[in-house]
Amino acid sequence: MKAYDGYLIDLDGTMYLGKERIEAAPGFIQRLKDAGKKHLFVTNNSTRTQEQVAAKLRQMDIAAEPEDVFTTSMATAAFIREHNPASRVFAIGEEGLFDALEKEELTLAEENCDYVVIGLDTSITYEKLAKACLLVRAGAKFLSTNSDRALPTDAGLMPGNGAITAVISVSTGIEPTFIGKPENIMMEQARKLLDLNKEQVLMVGDNYLTDITAGIRAGMDTLMVCTGFTRREELPFLDPKPTYTIDTLTEWEFK
Ligand SMILES: [Mg+2]
């Protein structure tokens, strides 16, 4: 096992499962801090602000400050600002997305937009989708915070942001640029925030299709923990395989 200076850590399935904390999570973060490692929580959840995510973690006795949290909404807003800080943006989403766009000082608009951004919105309406379609057809660049098709909830799998985004891509025939895991855009931004090279960073997560694939595409080593989405029985069929696979985070030793 190699020594890593920085850790990118997924949340749902890795730190908690819905509203339930994963038992090994607080100790893992404490040991990471004691070992003097850098870290960032990276989440495809676009609906919450970094402050709200940190508060949720602290409620579960998992040490977290707002600046330890990097959401796909923050990555999306940073991406737009990097390309053109004067952009006019039409956004569908919840507080986490609007908060991130505001922090990057981007202008929200409903006409003559440079970008259309889609994040999960549980109050989605036909009117919002129609507006997004018209703007994309008129030439606005089409971004989506993440391609997650389904969202695990207590009631079962609900439509995820990928499903909402698909309404617009199917209707217009135009594919969006996705920002969140497994795309490289968010991973590269997270790596830059850690101020480390990809060889120094380990991506930790429970989902092979998002977290581990994101790490592999970003050229990082990966640690899959089987407390969430991907089951250990699937390991023989995964290609390429995660660098490491463990059943619980207590098994991980910081070097
Ligand atoms: Mg996860």
Side-chain angles (χ1 to χ4, degrees), residues 10-14 181 205-207 210-211 229:
D10 169 58
L11 291 177
D12 210 348
T14 304
K181 298 175 286 185
D206 67 298
N207 188 326
T210 54
D211 307 319
F229 185 83

Side-chain angles (χ1 to χ4, degrees), residues 43-113:
T43 175
N44 269 2
N45 183 327
S46 66
T47 62
R48 293 202 181 93
T49 66
Q50 58 183 154
E51 288 81 6
Q52 289 168 337
V53 173
K56 175 173 177 170
L57 288 167
R58 282 201 302 273
Q59 270 174 9
M60 296 175 172
D61 293 322
I62 300 166
E65 297 300 327
E67 57 269 25
D68 299 332
V69 177
F70 190 53
T71 72
T72 185
S73 289
M74 294 164 66
T76 303
F79 176 85
I80 296 172
R81 192 185 164 95
E82 204 172 282
H83 284 80
N84 179 9
S87 292
R88 292 166 59 86
V89 181
F90 176 69
I92 291 177
E94 294 187 12
E95 193 181 354
L97 181 58
F98 289 102
D99 177 74
L101 292 167
E102 193 178 302
K103 281 177 179 157
E104 295 289 356
E105 298 174 333
L106 294 161
T107 305
L108 293 176
E110 301 205 347
E111 48 196 27
N112 300 322
C113 293

